[in-house]
Amino acid sequence: DLAVREELIHAMAENSPAMLWMGDAQGKCMFLNKALRTFWGVDPEDLSKFDWGSTTHPDDLEKLAGPFTIAMTEQTSFKVEARYRRADGEYRTMQTEAEPRFNPKSGTFLGMTGVNTDITARLVAEERTRMLMGELNHRTKNILAVVQAVARQTARHSPHDEFIQIFNDRLIGLAASNDLLLRRDWTGADMAELVEAQLSHLGDVVGQRIRTSGPSLSISSTAAQTLGMALHELSTNSLKYGALSRPNGRVHLDWSIDDQDHPFEIRWIEIGVENVQAPSRKGFGHSVIVDMVSAAMDAEVSVEFGESGFRWTVSARSRAALQG
């Protein structure tokens, strides 16, 4: 019968996980279900004294007042988002959707019935997505700019028949650095992992004719990207023209931190090759290992060609390249 049906409807509303409410023609609460009473910390016995408007964030009062007043005056539905103070004192954003309620016989406006949905987590996720998309857009433009520069400089300084191979190798090196940065959400890269990634194309030479050493440290994403390109150029050039092109040639790569004058240093030293001559012209490789590294790492970069071999030294002027 009618009484049983009303009791069933009340029980469903009371125990629904959705936050349901009912207000009178003046906007006062007539009913808050368990989920909404728990949110606001309202005692069922004190419902008539509860003023939901007192829990609204001060900055959202005007935003809420407009749609609510219009809906009550015109007796229409409304939908609005606002922040409310939860029982524990934390403000949460809720989306309120309400419909007008009328007397079925007289048609008199009785008030509003609605549901509140806590959308705080959704808004945080949406904001994070927007931030990530913006960051992705920035990084994509940066990578494309680097690729364009590599392509332009490779074409300018490479024989036509070698362009594809050289350009492809440089892109592989760039991709290796980006893979490392991606693992850490582009917050930086581990120095040892960066070295391993950039020297992996040398195979068994690493650990035998190339010795690396240095403390555990992280470097910034910008420094890692540029340093990765520099290590690729150094290893490729050594394999073609330097120590690694000679049977007895050796390479020592090491790095150190916390020096009083230079908080961060890197050294690439090639031995076992005599009377190394500086190239007759400075190509893209020189620009990478000197100019780009100097700018990205706030460092002094020196290149030495001598009787005992080749030496590349990066002496940072600050800790700008270090992460953390």
Side-chain angles (χ1 to χ4, degrees):
D1 60 10
L2 181 61
V4 174
R5 185 170 62 182
E6 289 182 348
E7 182 179 352
L8 176 61
I9 293 174
H10 183 275
M12 292 174 62
E14 170 66 11
N15 296 296
S16 171
M19 292 184 280
L20 306 176
W21 57 269
M22 181 182 295
D24 62 18
Q26 286 71 48
K28 293 290 293 182
C29 286
M30 297 175 60
F31 169 76
L32 298 178
N33 75 341
K34 183 178 179 181
L36 198 45
R37 293 198 306 273
T38 299
F39 179 90
W40 272 317
V42 180
D43 189 319
E45 301 299 324
D46 296 330
L47 185 59
S48 61
K49 303 176 184 177
F50 175 65
D51 177 15
W52 60 268
S54 66
T55 70
T56 308
H57 194 287
D59 294 342
D60 290 352
L61 286 172
E62 185 175 347
K63 180 172 69 173
L64 176 64
F68 179 75
T69 301
I70 292 174
M72 292 293 288
T73 302
E74 300 181 358
Q75 301 171 10
T76 57
S77 61
F78 74 95
K79 181 177 180 179
V80 67
E81 295 178 8
R83 288 168 291 177
Y84 298 88
R85 187 177 62 252
R86 198 166 57 184
D88 60 4
E90 179 183 351
Y91 278 99
R92 306 284 293 181
T93 301
M94 290 203 289
Q95 182 182 80
T96 299
E97 297 180 77
E99 294 288 338
R101 193 174 73 263
F102 302 95
N103 186 300
K105 294 183 179 180
S106 65
T108 304
F109 176 61
L110 301 177
M112 291 286 180
T113 300
V115 56
N116 287 2
T117 305
D118 189 335
I119 61 172
T120 308
R122 190 194 79 192
L123 293 178
V124 170
E126 289 176 351
E127 179 60 25
R128 175 170 173 75
T129 298
R130 281 192 292 271
M131 290 178 60
L132 289 175
M133 291 302 293
E135 186 66 19
L136 177 61
N137 182 55
H138 171 73
R139 290 172 185 168
T140 300
K141 289 181 178 179
N142 175 64
I143 292 174
L144 288 176
V146 172
V147 171
Q148 286 179 326
V150 170
R152 186 167 51 249
Q153 294 297 328
T154 302
R156 180 180 300 173
H157 299 287
S158 303
H160 179 72
D161 58 345
E162 297 180 14
F163 168 78
I164 295 297
Q165 185 62 52
I166 296 174
F167 180 57
N168 184 64
D169 290 344
R170 284 171 172 166
L171 287 187
I172 291 174
L174 182 62
S177 296
N178 288 345
D179 284 344
L180 289 178
L181 293 171
L182 186 61
R183 294 178 199 170
R184 295 192 178 189
D185 292 332
W186 281 76
T187 58
D190 179 82
M191 181 65 182
E193 290 181 356
L194 180 66
V195 169
E196 180 181 1
Q198 291 300 332
L199 301 185
S200 62
H201 69 100
L202 300 176
D204 294 339
V205 172
V206 181
Q208 298 180 12
R209 298 176 61 194
I210 297 183
R211 297 298 177 89
T212 64
S213 64
S216 175
L217 67 105
S218 294
I219 56 177
S220 69
S221 57
T222 300
Q225 192 175 58
T226 304
L227 185 57
M229 293 174 64
L231 291 174
H232 174 80
E233 294 298 323
L234 289 166
S235 60
T236 300
N237 287 339
S238 181
L239 195 61
K240 288 183 177 180
Y241 316 112
L244 297 181
S245 68
R246 314 290 176 85
N248 298 320
R250 298 288 186 274
V251 174
H252 293 165
L253 170 61
D254 69 278
W255 58 93
S256 59
I257 57 175
D258 295 329
D259 180 88
Q260 185 175 356
D261 297 322
H262 299 291
F264 179 35
E265 283 198 346
I266 310 173
R267 291 162 291 272
W268 174 283
I269 304 171
E270 298 190 15
I271 56 177
V273 52
E274 299 178 353
N275 297 320
V276 178
Q277 300 296 318
S280 57
R281 60 184 179 85
K282 295 179 180 179
F284 179 61
H286 182 274
S287 177
V288 171
I289 68 174
V290 177
D291 302 330
M292 291 177 61
V293 169
S294 176
M297 306 186 72
D298 184 28
E300 299 172 5
V301 180
S302 65
V303 176
E304 302 174 30
F305 298 87
E307 295 183 358
S308 59
F310 169 77
R311 185 184 185 98
W312 174 74
T313 306
V314 179
S315 301
R317 291 182 285 263
S318 69
R319 298 180 65 86
L322 300 181
Q323 184 70 26

